[in-house]
Amino acid sequence: MSLRPLLLPAIVAAVGWPFNEADTCQTMPFAALKGWKDADHAAALEAFKVTCGDMSGEEWKSLCAVAQQNPNARVYFKTFFQPVMTKTTEPALFTGYYEPELDGSLTRTGRFRYPIYGVPKEVRAGGLWKTRRDIEENQVLKGRGLELAWVENPADIFFLQIQGSGRVRLQDGTTIRLGFGGSNGHRYQAIGPHLVELGVLQEHEVSANRIKQWVLDNPEQGQEIVWENPAYVFFRRVDDVPSDKGPLGAMNRSLTALRTLAVDPRYVTLGSPVWLEHGGSIPLTRLMIAQATGCAIPGPPRAYVLFGAGPQ
């Protein structure tokens, strides 16, 4: 659920619901939030401060100005915000994403033969462009000087595109960072369910590592499966972000591991606090900040949790 600002005269004005008006929203007391009292609100406040200054509207700017004064975090959120839950017919689904680290080169070599592309001018113009199959099978970008780096296999590029940002370790020991640059406008199509339909994997076996290994072990059939997803992501070099900071998100600010949530901005205002209660064998209950988005996040009950960088 999101936290929307309260109407507090002389301090902030109401900025409205963070959800689409077509959804049914219900206010809730803070006491109804499981684990709220003992949560680390200070960490959430630090993440909120990173992007709150970029939010539009005088109300958000007023809230940000108060946050920058380093108030007691739990009191701050409880004073200025109201928990709001959106009711949908779809079950909520939370998954994780991260910043991959790939081995690569700035030039094509015998080992590194697959290009990571920058944004072509056709994509910058907006609208739908060529599909993944068109781009990779027909090599429509070859020779246009858009190669940002070269990596070992196309599966690495595919999963880099799913994550939306990453790092490439060069052979001299240096690292370059890549951020989301744009997309071809096609809707993301997950390939895991397709592998289940084919009987290649059982539903409980579907994971990024299993899918990637299967694609590598079955290059021809794997390539056809990957091309079932028409969406294609292009990147840009990000040279001004320190290595100890997170990748840039939709608000062009560094994201915070285990505090940043990627959401559908049609339903959740970017920059706003979101209270997450996730059960299961590894529960995660904490105050998150909606600072990122992605082409595979449709609707209000869907979000990604940023877990950080690297294989861990």
Side-chain angles (χ1 to χ4, degrees), residues 108 113-118 120 122 129-130 134-147 150 232 234:
R108 177 170 176 161
R113 299 181 292 118
Y114 298 93
I116 299 173
Y117 285 117
E122 295 90 341
W129 197 55
K130 298 182 181 296
D134 292 330
I135 294 168
E136 295 183 342
E137 183 177 36
N138 299 328
Q139 300 184 22
V140 296
L141 295 178
K142 184 177 181 180
R144 293 181 55 176
L146 293 172
E147 297 87 354
W150 302 77
Y232 197 92
F234 303 95

Side-chain angles (χ1 to χ4, degrees), residues 231-248:
Y232 197 92
V233 170
F234 303 95
F235 294 90
R236 60 189 174 94
R237 282 279 297 265
V238 181
D239 297 320
D240 56 350
V241 178
S243 60
D244 62 332
K245 297 293 185 180
L248 298 182

Side-chain angles (χ1 to χ4, degrees), residues 128 183-190 228-232 264 266 295-299:
L128 286 178
S183 75
N184 62 350
H186 289 268
R187 186 181 180 87
Y188 173 83
Q189 180 65 49
E228 290 293 323
N229 172 26
Y232 197 92
D264 186 338
R266 296 175 301 173
C295 57
I297 312 176

Side-chain angles (χ1 to χ4, degrees), residues 89-101:
T89 57
E90 301 177 32
L93 177 60
F94 291 91
T95 50
Y97 75 109
Y98 73 110
E99 187 181 18
E101 294 179 347

Side-chain angles (χ1 to χ4, degrees), residues 265-304:
R266 296 175 301 173
Y267 297 91
V268 181
T269 302
L270 284 176
S272 63
V274 179
W275 179 251
L276 172 62
E277 290 181 14
H278 183 273
S281 58
I282 306 178
L284 184 64
T285 301
R286 60 179 54 199
L287 186 57
M288 311 285 290
I289 309 299
Q291 297 170 313
T293 186
C295 57
I297 312 176
R302 182 76 170 97
Y304 286 175

Side-chain angles (χ1 to χ4, degrees), residues 23-290:
D23 294 304
T24 301
C25 298
Q26 175 185 348
T27 61
M28 301 180 66
F30 280 93
L33 307 184
K34 182 180 178 181
W36 170 264
K37 182 178 178 181
D38 300 320
D40 187 354
H41 302 91
L45 182 62
E46 289 303 311
F48 177 71
K49 287 159 58 177
V50 172
T51 50
C52 67
D54 300 308
M55 301 177 73
S56 60
E58 291 303 316
E59 300 85 359
W60 282 112
K61 294 186 183 302
S62 297
L63 277 172
C64 192
V66 176
Q68 299 296 347
Q69 297 174 19
N70 298 316
N72 177 286
R74 185 158 69 95
V75 173
Y76 170 81
F77 286 114
K78 193 170 183 179
T79 300
F80 296 117
F81 291 84
Q82 168 69 51
V84 178
M85 176 182 287
T86 180
K87 292 183 178 181
T88 69
T89 57
E90 301 177 32
L93 177 60
F94 291 91
T95 50
Y97 75 109
Y98 73 110
E99 187 181 18
E101 294 179 347
L102 309 177
D103 290 323
S105 171
L106 294 181
T107 59
R108 177 170 176 161
T109 68
R111 177 184 175 188
F112 303 113
R113 299 181 292 118
Y114 298 93
I116 299 173
Y117 285 117
V119 187
K121 62 182 181 180
E122 295 90 341
V123 168
R124 289 194 290 269
L128 286 178
W129 197 55
K130 298 182 181 296
T131 66
R132 175 178 297 276
R133 180 186 290 273
D134 292 330
I135 294 168
E136 295 183 342
E137 183 177 36
N138 299 328
Q139 300 184 22
V140 296
L141 295 178
K142 184 177 181 180
R144 293 181 55 176
L146 293 172
E147 297 87 354
L148 300 177
W150 302 77
V151 295
E152 290 185 84
N153 61 73
D156 281 340
I157 298 174
F158 180 73
F159 284 96
L160 174 68
Q161 291 175 327
I162 292 176
Q163 305 308 317
S165 61
R167 309 183 189 205
V168 179
R169 293 186 298 266
L170 306 178
Q171 297 308 286
D172 62 1
T174 61
T175 299
I176 65 170
R177 298 184 76 166
L178 302 176
F180 178 86
S183 75
N184 62 350
H186 289 268
R187 186 181 180 87
Y188 173 83
Q189 180 65 49
I191 65 174
H194 194 179
L195 292 176
V196 172
E197 290 177 2
L198 294 175
V200 172
L201 296 176
Q202 298 297 313
E203 188 170 354
H204 69 276
E205 295 177 320
V206 175
S207 70
N209 287 337
R210 289 297 300 272
I211 295 173
K212 181 178 178 180
Q213 192 58 54
W214 187 86
V215 170
L216 292 174
D217 293 342
N218 303 271
E220 292 187 7
Q221 189 179 6
Q223 184 65 84
E224 288 293 329
I225 292 292
V226 168
W227 283 340
E228 290 293 323
N229 172 26
Y232 197 92
V233 170
F234 303 95
F235 294 90
R236 60 189 174 94
R237 282 279 297 265
V238 181
D239 297 320
D240 56 350
V241 178
S243 60
D244 62 332
K245 297 293 185 180
L248 298 182
M251 303 178 78
N252 206 34
R253 303 290 182 183
S254 286
L255 307 179
T256 304
L258 294 174
R259 289 292 167 183
T260 288
L261 202 64
V263 300
D264 186 338
R266 296 175 301 173
Y267 297 91
V268 181
T269 302
L270 284 176
S272 63
V274 179
W275 179 251
L276 172 62
E277 290 181 14
H278 183 273
S281 58
I282 306 178
L284 184 64
T285 301
R286 60 179 54 199
L287 186 57
M288 311 285 290
I289 309 299

